[in-house]
Amino acid sequence: MSKINQTLGEFIIDHQSSFKYSSGELSRLINSIRLAAKVVNYEVNKAGLVDILGDFGDTNIQGEAQQKLDVYAHDKFVQTLTKRNIVCGIASEEEDDFISINSLDANNQNKYVVLIDPLDGSSNIDVNVSVGTIFSVYRRVTPIGSPVLLEDFLQKGSQQVAAGYVIYGTSTMLVYTTGYGVNGFTLNPAIGTFYLSHPNMQFPDLGNIYSINEGNYVHFPKGVKAYLKYCQMEEGDRPYTSRYIGSLVSDCHRNMIKGGIYLYPETMQNPAGKLRLLYECNPMAFITEQAGGKASNGFKRIMEVEPQTLHQRVPFYCGNKKMVSTLESFMKENP
Ligand code: AHG
Ligand code: MN
Ligand code: MN
């Protein structure tokens, strides 16, 4: 069969045997995410039509207003993974504690935990701008068949077995990696099927886009300020172009295709940075590295940062390898 028309379902089956510890469990997991993504996509797409827009009237553990669709997306992903008995634990940006699944059922032989940002960039929904879902998968470290513990979730990003994102944009895509490169699938909404549209995604060698919320400039560390001046300087292939959507998934997706760097430094308001290590940075870092890019906290590889808490934040610099390396040298030279 021509690979051009390959569906995500067919791709998963074709590649199952190449997973390191293949038992079909990871394939079922990706399948469930595909299903939940379609349901959430349907709801996101009609957001302008129904009374689902606006605040849910609650704040999440990070003190941010929860949007109705945040909660909806959280519920759908959790339900899909729980009811189908796919994983042994879930941690979500939208919930204070991790969820243990069938913890008292000794028959629960599932070995994977999922960490998820159910709706990323949710403040963009009200203005019809792309949002996303980010997920990260680890093999549990505690014994199979026992309740999951915090340590199953607090693993370094380098331990991830899979990671991906869904982007609900002008078209809806699911992009993921299991450590063998990155593949992107585009949803045909007429028949509800994802097709392989972006096989083996790779950052271009050179990039010329920088993406940062420059409104926070005055609070940025010296190294970031100096790097931004470098980006704006007329020399060689510079000045770079500036693009910022304010939705991590969309900004990183564009940069991976066109070549660029995404920056979210620490600021006065967010002294540890804004983005969450486990739900946002590690999965985006895994995808980035698998696509030939680089992800850093300004000084070291994001995936080597030792997590201390579930909702931990971290400064995040991610994108084209050369651009992130240059940023790191500016950080080092401007303490
Ligand atoms: P979330 O909607 O899951 O809370 O994430 C929002 C994040 C991220 O998507 C985006 O890159 C960043 O917040 C934007 O922050 P600023 O509005 O501070 O630029
Ligand atoms: Mn987010
Ligand atoms: Mn979110």
Side-chain angles (χ1 to χ4, degrees), residues 18-31:
S18 58
F19 297 148
K20 236 183 274 170
Y21 318 94
S22 173
S23 66
E25 202 177 321
L26 191 56
S27 298
R28 284 201 298 282
L29 205 165
I30 306 284
N31 257 321

Side-chain angles (χ1 to χ4, degrees), residues 173-235:
M173 284 188 71
L174 195 154
V175 175
Y176 78 99
T177 182
T178 52
Y180 300 93
V182 181
N183 289 286
F185 301 81
T186 302
L187 181 67
N188 177 344
I191 51 173
T193 303
F194 281 103
Y195 286 96
L196 179 61
S197 52
H198 295 63
N200 193 21
M201 294 175 82
Q202 285 286 313
F203 276 86
D205 229 19
L206 298 171
N208 73 339
I209 299 171
Y210 70 100
S211 312
I212 186 166
N213 185 343
E214 234 168 324
N216 296 324
Y217 183 87
V218 65
H219 301 304
F220 290 157
K222 285 199 190 97
V224 173
K225 285 182 174 166
Y227 178 70
L228 291 179
K229 287 293 155 228
Y230 164 88
C231 293
Q232 294 161 355
M233 202 181 289
E234 184 152 30
E235 198 181 322

Side-chain angles (χ1 to χ4, degrees), residues 7-262:
T7 68
L8 174 54
E10 289 163 347
F11 183 91
I12 292 170
I13 293 167
D14 272 12
H15 290 77
Q16 184 175 310
S17 55
S18 58
F19 297 148
K20 236 183 274 170
Y21 318 94
S22 173
S23 66
E25 202 177 321
L26 191 56
S27 298
R28 284 201 298 282
L29 205 165
I30 306 284
N31 257 321
S32 290
I33 286 176
R34 170 184 69 155
L35 183 64
K38 283 197 257 187
V39 176
V40 171
N41 174 64
Y42 178 71
E43 215 57 38
V44 167
N45 274 190
K46 62 177 192 183
L49 296 172
V50 289
D51 181 31
I52 202 163
L53 283 173
D55 289 355
F56 190 60
D58 209 348
T59 45
N60 62 12
I61 191 170
Q62 284 104 9
E64 297 149 345
Q66 273 186 341
Q67 304 274 307
K68 279 184 181 175
L69 275 170
D70 275 337
V71 177
Y72 180 87
H74 166 88
D75 288 347
K76 284 299 157 208
F77 279 98
V78 170
Q79 273 170 22
T80 309
L81 292 167
T82 307
K83 291 202 174 134
R84 299 162 79 83
N85 195 20
I86 301 286
V87 290
C88 51
I90 304 171
S92 163
E93 182 195 87
E94 299 301 331
E95 202 149 298
D96 303 4
D97 290 322
F98 63 83
I99 304 165
S100 183
I101 297 168
N102 294 340
S103 55
L104 298 177
D105 178 0
N107 294 325
N108 182 353
Q109 294 296 302
N110 296 336
K111 53 184 176 293
Y112 295 113
V113 295
V114 169
L115 293 96
I116 191 158
D117 176 357
L119 209 62
D120 171 67
S122 46
S123 64
N124 278 328
I125 291 168
D126 285 357
V127 289
N128 204 1
V129 169
S130 300
V131 291
T133 295
I134 310 173
F135 64 91
S136 171
V137 182
Y138 294 84
R139 176 177 279 273
R140 66 181 300 174
V141 289
T142 55
I144 291 173
S146 64
V148 281
L149 299 174
L150 187 58
E151 63 203 83
D152 292 314
F153 298 92
L154 297 187
Q155 300 191 50
K156 284 197 294 191
S158 54
Q159 298 301 311
Q160 288 172 103
V161 293
Y165 59 80
V166 185
I167 177 166
Y168 312 98
T170 40
S171 57
T172 292
M173 284 188 71
L174 195 154
V175 175
Y176 78 99
T177 182
T178 52
Y180 300 93
V182 181
N183 289 286
F185 301 81
T186 302
L187 181 67
N188 177 344
I191 51 173
T193 303
F194 281 103
Y195 286 96
L196 179 61
S197 52
H198 295 63
N200 193 21
M201 294 175 82
Q202 285 286 313
F203 276 86
D205 229 19
L206 298 171
N208 73 339
I209 299 171
Y210 70 100
S211 312
I212 186 166
N213 185 343
E214 234 168 324
N216 296 324
Y217 183 87
V218 65
H219 301 304
F220 290 157
K222 285 199 190 97
V224 173
K225 285 182 174 166
Y227 178 70
L228 291 179
K229 287 293 155 228
Y230 164 88
C231 293
Q232 294 161 355
M233 202 181 289
E234 184 152 30
E235 198 181 322
D237 60 345
R238 288 170 284 132
Y240 296 150
T241 215
S242 167
R243 290 281 182 275
Y244 190 71
I245 298 169
S247 175
L248 174 72
V249 167
S250 316
D251 280 307
C252 289
H253 181 74
R254 179 205 51 239
N255 289 351
M256 184 158 70
I257 291 173
K258 296 200 164 182
I261 179 171
Y262 177 92

Side-chain angles (χ1 to χ4, degrees), residues 134 157 160 163 177 203 252 277 280-291 293-296 301-303 316-318:
I134 310 173
Q160 288 172 103
T177 182
F203 276 86
C252 289
L277 174 61
E280 294 171 317
C281 304
N282 274 338
M284 295 314 286
F286 190 20
I287 294 162
T288 296
E289 287 193 7
Q290 284 292 315
K294 180 168 174 169
S296 162
R301 190 178 174 219
I302 277 289
M303 294 207 287
F316 190 52
Y317 307 95
C318 153

